Amino acid sequence: MSSALAQEVQRRRTFAIISHPDAGKSTMTEALALHARMISEAGAIHGKAGRKSTVSDWMEMEKARGISVSSTALQFNYTADGDDDTPHVINLVDTPGHADFSEDTYRVLTAVDAAVMLIDAAKGLEPQTLKLFQVCRHRGIPVITVINKWDRPGQTPLELIDEITERIGLIPTPLFFPVGIAGDFRGLLDRQTGEYIHFTRTAGGAKVAPEEIMSADAALDREGDEWTTALEESELLTEMGQDHDQEMFLAGQTSPMIFASAMLNFGVRQLLETLVALAPAPAGRADVDGTMREVTDPFSAVVFKVQAGMDTSHRDRLAYMRIVSGEFERGMVVTHAQTGKPFATKYAQAVFGRDRSTVDLAYPGDVVGLVNAMALAPGDTLYIDPKVQYPPIPSFAPEHFSALRVNTADKYKQFRKAMDQLDSEGVVQVLRNDLRGDASPVLAAVGPMQFEVVTARMKSEFNVDTTIEPLGYSLARRTDEQSATELTRQRGVEVFTRTDGALLALFSDKWRLQYVEKEHPDLMLEPLVATAD
Ligand code: GDP
C-alpha cells in the first residue's frame, strides 16, 4: 500500500495517562493541549473551580477550534523539534478516572501504544496507579513516568526513583532531571545534552512557560548549589546504569522519566518531545492464529469500548474502535468478524458528550466512534478483506461481587434479555451457578460503579427494576471441574461459571484463600490476569 499511509502511521502517537485521582491528569491533559496550541490559555478547559466544568469547557473548545475531541480520545497535532512541514498527530485516549473506575479503564489500555504514568511528587506510587501499571506490564505497553507537582514540596528525586524501582521493578531513567527541590522548581537538566532549561512562571500557569536554554556553566552561575546537586545526582544515575535505553524502554524494563508541573506548564513540552521521539508509532497486530496484520495492510480495527444510552431520545449504542491497519474512510462497508455481517460506517464520529463531529478519514492509531453499533462488543474486530480476527480482550480480575435480583417477577423475560445485552457489552462479568439459579445471577466487577450502571440501564432501557445485593466475596480465582467439587465444600467459598465458560471460585478474603491453598495444595486456583494482588 501507499507510502502516504505509512507516513500517516509514522507521525502518530497514541497513548493514555495512567494515574491515581488527583495526581493531575486533567491538568496535564489541558497543559498538553495548551502546548499543542489547541487552546490559548490553560484553565479554559479545567475551570478554576476544579473538574466540574471539564465537560462543557471541552465542548466549547471543540466548537472554537474545530478539533476532534471525544470523551474517549483527544486528537491534536504537535510540531516537534525537527518536524518540517508535517506535524505529529497525538491521540490521547482517556482512561475513565475517579469514581467510575472499572473494567472500561483496563480496556482502554488495549487501544494505546504507550502510557504516561503520572505521579504526584509528594505521594509517590498510589493504588490506582499501581493497578493500571500492572495492566500496562501485562500487555507490554512501554511506560513514560512523569513526576508531577514539582512546584510543591514532596519527596526527593532519588527517593521517588527508588520507590518505583523497588515496588514495581521498573527502572526509571530520567531524561530531564529537576533543578531545585520539590517546592522550588527552577528548571530541568537535560541529561542528554547536559544543558539547563530554565522556566519562567506565567500568571497562574495559564500560558506556555517561557524556556531559556543555558550551558552548564551558565546554569552553575545562575543556580549555584541547586545545579551542582542536580548534576551530581544525575551522574550517580549514570554510574548505576540509569540512562535511557530505547530497547529496554520498549521491553518494559525501564521508564524514561520527566519531572514536571502540569499546573505551571513546566516539563510539558519535554513530555511531548519525549512521546514523539521515544514512544512507538502504531504497529501491526497478530490475529488469533498468530498471523501479523501490518499497519499498511487493508483496514482493520478493534472495538475497545461500547457506550450506550448517551442519547436518551432514542436507544443508541456507540462503539469505539482503534484502527489497527489501513485507511478508514467514512461510508466504507466493513465486516464484523464475530458475525460475518457487513457493518456500514456512514455515521463514524468523534463524540464528546452530546456533541458529535463526523470523522471522514482516519489511520492506524486513531480512535473512531461508530453509532448504532448494536452488534458490536469490546474485543470485536472489524475489517476489509482479507479477513482478520484479533484475540479477545482479556477480562480483568474482579474485586466486587453482587447478586442482582429482579423486583417484579413478571418482568423476568425482559430481565434476561437485558442481562444478555449488558453481558455482551462487557458492562460487568456475569456469573451463575445452580444453587442461585438463573433469576439471580452474580455480577462481578472491577469497580462498584459498574453495578450502578447495570441497575440504571436495566431501568432506563429495559424498564426492569432490580436490586443489587453486595456479597461477602473479595477475590476470584480461576479453577477447573475437578477442583470445583472440593471447593464447594469449603466455607467462605463459592464456585460459578462465567458466561465465557470459565469456572471462578470466589473467596471471602485472602486469608480464606491462603487457608484453602494450604489445606488443599492440589486444587487449581489461578490468579486472573492483571491484578495488583
Ligand atoms: P486528576 O484527578 O488526576 O484529573 O487531577 P486534576 O488535574 O484535577 O488535579 C488535582 C488537583 O491538583 C487540582 O487542584 C490541580 O489544580 C492540582 N494540580 C495538578 N497539577 C498540579 C501541579 O503541577 N502543581 C500543583 N501545585 N498542583 C497541581
Side-chain angles (χ1 to χ4, degrees):
M1 250 232 203
S2 72
S3 65
L5 172 58
Q7 204 186 356
E8 287 299 337
V9 175
Q10 280 317 310
R11 70 190 187 105
R12 277 171 163 71
R13 296 293 180 274
T14 301
F15 77 105
I17 298 178
I18 59 170
S19 62
H20 195 82
D22 273 349
K25 189 175 67 158
S26 321
T27 312
M28 183 55 89
T29 302
E30 178 185 296
L32 290 166
L34 175 74
H35 279 256
R37 314 263 177 230
M38 269 169 44
I39 52 173
S40 55
E41 288 219 347
I45 308 165
H46 203 44
K48 286 259 182 310
R51 69 178 75 89
K52 277 200 299 293
S53 56
T54 307
V55 171
S56 57
D57 288 342
W58 273 122
M59 283 163 66
E60 285 305 309
M61 190 174 95
E62 183 178 32
K63 277 190 213 131
R65 304 269 149 174
I67 49 155
S68 145
V69 177
S70 78
S71 52
T72 294
L74 170 67
Q75 185 178 71
F76 55 86
N77 287 345
Y78 175 69
T79 307
D81 281 354
D83 279 357
D84 31 39
D85 298 342
T86 328
H88 277 80
V89 177
I90 312 281
N91 291 306
L92 170 48
V93 185
D94 192 25
T95 46
H98 315 300
D100 58 350
F101 182 66
S102 69
E103 196 138 9
D104 279 351
T105 317
Y106 290 141
R107 291 195 191 115
V108 162
L109 293 174
T110 65
V112 301
D113 304 311
V116 167
M117 179 163 79
L118 190 71
I119 293 174
D120 183 322
K123 297 194 175 138
L125 285 170
E126 294 179 87
Q128 199 151 307
T129 328
L130 279 173
K131 276 195 195 178
L132 292 165
F133 170 74
Q134 299 298 354
V135 182
C136 292
R137 164 162 288 169
H138 186 77
R139 300 212 60 252
I141 301 170
V143 175
I144 294 167
T145 302
V146 173
I147 303 293
N148 189 34
K149 306 197 187 180
W150 200 253
D151 60 294
R152 281 216 310 224
Q155 305 182 47
T156 69
L158 296 182
E159 276 166 356
L160 287 157
I161 290 169
D162 279 353
E163 186 188 354
I164 294 167
T165 313
E166 275 160 28
R167 288 186 60 194
I168 60 178
L170 181 71
I171 302 169
T173 52
L175 302 171
F176 297 93
F177 203 80
V179 176
I181 58 166
D184 180 23
F185 197 177
R186 302 181 185 194
L188 291 168
L189 158 64
D190 180 337
R191 292 186 68 223
Q192 257 159 338
T193 63
E195 288 171 325
Y196 175 47
I197 306 156
H198 174 79
F199 295 113
T200 304
R201 284 181 186 232
T202 61
K207 295 226 161 51
V208 170
E211 290 182 4
E212 219 179 314
I213 315 269
M214 298 181 191
S215 69
D217 288 344
L220 180 64
D221 276 351
R222 179 165 192 148
E223 309 295 0
D225 286 351
E226 305 295 344
W227 173 256
T228 314
T229 305
L231 214 53
E232 281 171 6
E233 293 185 350
S234 167
E235 277 162 14
L236 191 72
L237 289 169
T238 301
E239 276 165 31
M240 298 195 303
Q242 280 173 261
D243 290 335
H244 173 69
D245 179 304
Q246 185 67 6
E247 260 175 50
M248 287 178 80
F249 160 56
L250 294 179
Q253 291 167 340
T254 61
S255 177
M257 188 187 230
I258 300 164
F259 291 76
S261 165
M263 199 181 75
L264 299 181
N265 290 301
F266 290 8
V268 177
R269 188 181 69 83
Q270 285 70 23
L271 172 57
L272 283 165
E273 290 293 332
T274 301
L275 280 164
V276 166
L278 307 182
R285 268 189 207 197
D287 70 5
V288 275
D289 306 322
T291 314
M292 277 304 284
R293 181 86 156 195
E294 302 299 342
V295 278
T296 47
D297 285 340
F299 169 83
S300 70
V302 175
V303 174
F304 65 94
K305 176 173 164 176
V306 173
Q307 216 168 33
M310 302 222 323
D311 188 342
T312 44
S313 59
H314 57 96
R315 200 182 281 179
D316 188 14
R317 186 157 158 196
L318 213 103
Y320 292 94
M321 61 175 178
R322 139 117 193 191
I323 300 176
V324 177
S325 65
E327 184 178 279
F328 172 79
E329 222 174 309
R330 188 170 63 83
M332 223 156 73
V333 178
V334 300
T335 308
H336 178 214
Q338 274 65 18
T339 57
K341 289 189 179 149
F343 185 91
T345 62
K346 191 169 160 198
Y347 300 108
Q349 294 180 331
V351 180
F352 188 73
R354 282 174 203 196
D355 264 19
R356 300 178 173 194
S357 60
T358 305
V359 168
D360 287 318
L361 272 181
Y363 298 94
D366 291 348
V367 168
V368 177
L370 297 168
V371 185
N372 271 327
M374 294 311 279
L376 305 185
D380 286 3
T381 305
L382 296 167
Y383 68 88
I384 292 269
D385 279 336
K387 181 176 175 176
V388 61
Q389 187 166 337
Y390 295 108
I393 296 178
S395 51
F396 292 94
E399 291 171 12
H400 299 268
F401 305 90
S402 288
L404 183 70
R405 284 184 218 298
V406 56
N407 294 342
T408 35
D410 59 332
K411 285 283 174 61
Y412 184 60
K413 231 172 113 186
Q414 271 300 88
F415 171 71
R416 281 209 57 153
K417 196 172 147 221
M419 203 60 262
D420 286 348
Q421 173 74 25
L422 299 177
D423 193 5
S424 76
E425 277 181 36
V427 175
V428 280
Q429 297 179 34
V430 182
L431 313 180
R432 294 185 168 92
N433 64 21
D434 290 344
L435 206 69
R436 289 177 185 267
D438 238 14
S440 172
V442 167
L443 310 184
V446 168
M449 263 296 281
Q450 286 171 258
F451 300 140
E452 285 171 43
V453 172
V454 170
T455 48
R457 289 191 53 192
M458 281 272 177
K459 181 73 195 148
S460 68
E461 288 170 46
F462 302 91
N463 198 23
V464 179
D465 272 315
T466 49
T467 312
I468 279 288
E469 182 192 310
L471 300 176
Y473 300 116
S474 70
L475 352 142
R477 285 289 182 270
R478 189 187 288 271
T479 187
D480 58 12
E481 291 281 358
Q482 236 179 343
S483 312
T485 322
E486 179 59 46
L487 286 167
T488 33
R489 290 198 202 110
Q490 300 289 322
R491 218 161 25 87
V493 186
E494 194 173 344
V495 179
F496 291 89
T497 308
R498 194 167 63 186
T499 312
D500 65 358
L503 282 180
L504 302 191
L506 308 193
F507 292 82
S508 49
D509 52 52
K510 68 172 187 245
W511 295 280
R512 198 74 227 148
L513 169 66
Q514 280 162 4
Y515 174 81
V516 173
E517 279 177 327
K518 204 164 139 247
E519 293 291 303
H520 304 276
D522 308 338
L523 296 179
M524 172 182 164
L525 289 170
E526 280 179 5
L528 294 141
V529 291
T531 41
D533 62 56

